[in-house]
Amino acid sequence: MRAKLVTFGITAVATLALVVQASSQAIAQGNSNKPAAAKRKAPPPPPKPAQAKPAPAAAAPAEGTMAAKPKPKPKKKKKAPMAMAGVPNGVPNCIKHLTQMAAKDPLIDYDGHPSEIINGGLLWNDPKSQCSIAGDEAMKKKVIELAGAWRRKDASQVRSLLQELAK
């Protein structure tokens, strides 16, 4: 029985010692989630003593003139092409704008400005639309065919459909 008590006592003391050691390390470490403190830089060397003699008068700037400071260069602004901004007003202007884009070789991607004009203008069924053709079913079918040809990058079919739509 004494052996069991002694073993239990030694185990309890060892456990207590480990807990105290671990808690002291945790307190010393602080919050481990904080970022490490920045290392300090070495102090700069002390300044050299000033010269006893003043600089010659010829080296000093002339009286009434100031030393020229270089001016910072202004940054250039990127200019977006004005012809490619937004959806034009009116069905003829939308078709004219699409014709101008289709005239370029190679044919530009449909997912850019052409899809904005076709989906956000010509095929948009809203009275606020700037160039809606929602009421004209025949023209709507041609515009849907135009969008498909433009996705396939079939330039000749795109140009011929735009000519038919312009009539």
Side-chain angles (χ1 to χ4, degrees):
M1 182 76 167
R2 266 190 197 174
K4 286 184 181 180
L5 286 175
V6 172
T7 306
F8 180 72
I10 291 173
T11 306
V13 170
T15 305
L16 184 62
L18 288 173
V19 168
V20 169
Q21 183 180 7
S23 65
S24 65
Q25 286 177 353
I27 291 171
Q29 185 180 8
N31 187 355
S32 62
N33 292 334
K34 287 184 181 178
K39 294 182 181 180
R40 289 187 172 183
K41 292 182 180 178
K48 295 181 180 180
Q51 291 181 343
K53 294 182 181 179
E63 197 172 312
T65 61
M66 297 180 69
K69 292 182 181 178
K71 292 183 180 179
K73 293 182 181 178
K75 293 182 180 178
K76 292 183 180 179
K77 295 180 181 177
K78 292 182 180 178
K79 293 183 179 179
M82 295 304 289
M84 296 293 185
V87 178
N89 290 331
V91 176
N93 289 337
C94 285
I95 293 172
K96 179 181 174 187
H97 193 72
L98 287 170
T99 306
Q100 290 172 353
M101 286 188 284
K104 297 177 184 176
D105 274 334
L107 193 62
I108 64 173
D109 288 336
Y110 173 77
D111 293 328
H113 195 59
S115 71
E116 180 183 359
I117 293 175
I118 291 173
N119 296 329
L122 293 171
L123 295 177
W124 198 21
N125 293 337
D126 191 359
K128 295 179 185 176
S129 174
Q130 297 175 358
C131 60
S132 177
I133 57 164
D136 189 359
E137 288 299 320
M139 194 172 206
K140 190 174 181 179
K141 286 181 182 178
K142 286 184 183 180
V143 170
I144 291 171
E145 190 177 337
L146 169 71
W150 206 310
R151 282 190 191 107
R152 290 189 306 271
K153 292 201 177 236
D154 186 357
S156 61
Q157 188 178 7
V158 167
R159 291 178 186 129
S160 67
L161 285 169
L162 284 169
Q163 285 177 354
E164 289 178 20
L165 287 170
K167 291 179 184 178

